Amino acid sequence: MDQERQELGRRERDILALERRGFSGPGAKERAIREELGLAPVRYFQLLNALLDDERALAHDPVTVNRLRRVRDARREER
């Protein structure tokens, strides 16, 4: 119960902030992930996917989380 009330950590907030940005060309997002967050892109996307199921993330940034959930759901339906 207490865990649900906790706010997102810095890394989780930074991941959502990066997702709000637009990126100009191929590789730009991956470069930002490595340089700004110090994460490998594969690990970043694992963390992002877990965040999309976290109610704290939804409360923190509902527009971004709902947009990304729609994208994820659409990709799952294509498979």
Side-chain angles (χ1 to χ4, degrees), residues 13-14 17-18 34 50 58 63 74 77:
R13 292 192 312 268
D14 289 347
L18 193 114
R34 288 182 193 281
L58 183 63
V63 173
E77 288 177 15

Side-chain angles (χ1 to χ4, degrees), residues 10-62:
R10 169 88 185 190
R11 181 166 67 175
E12 289 87 0
R13 292 192 312 268
D14 289 347
I15 288 171
L16 291 174
L18 193 114
E19 282 300 315
R20 283 193 298 271
R21 293 168 34 194
F23 292 93
S24 57
K29 183 175 186 175
E30 286 76 10
R31 196 172 319 112
I33 291 167
R34 288 182 193 281
E35 293 174 1
E36 296 174 27
L37 302 178
L39 293 169
V42 169
R43 181 67 181 139
Y44 170 85
F45 287 110
Q46 290 171 338
L47 293 169
L48 175 61
N49 196 48
L51 260 180
L52 296 184
D53 297 323
D54 188 328
E55 291 304 313
R56 297 172 306 155
L58 183 63
H60 177 78
D61 190 346

Side-chain angles (χ1 to χ4, degrees), residues 64-77:
T64 301
V65 171
N66 282 322
R67 176 180 56 84
L68 293 170
R69 283 178 174 180
R70 284 191 303 272
V71 169
R72 180 178 68 178
D73 292 345
R75 287 185 179 149
R76 284 181 177 167
E77 288 177 15

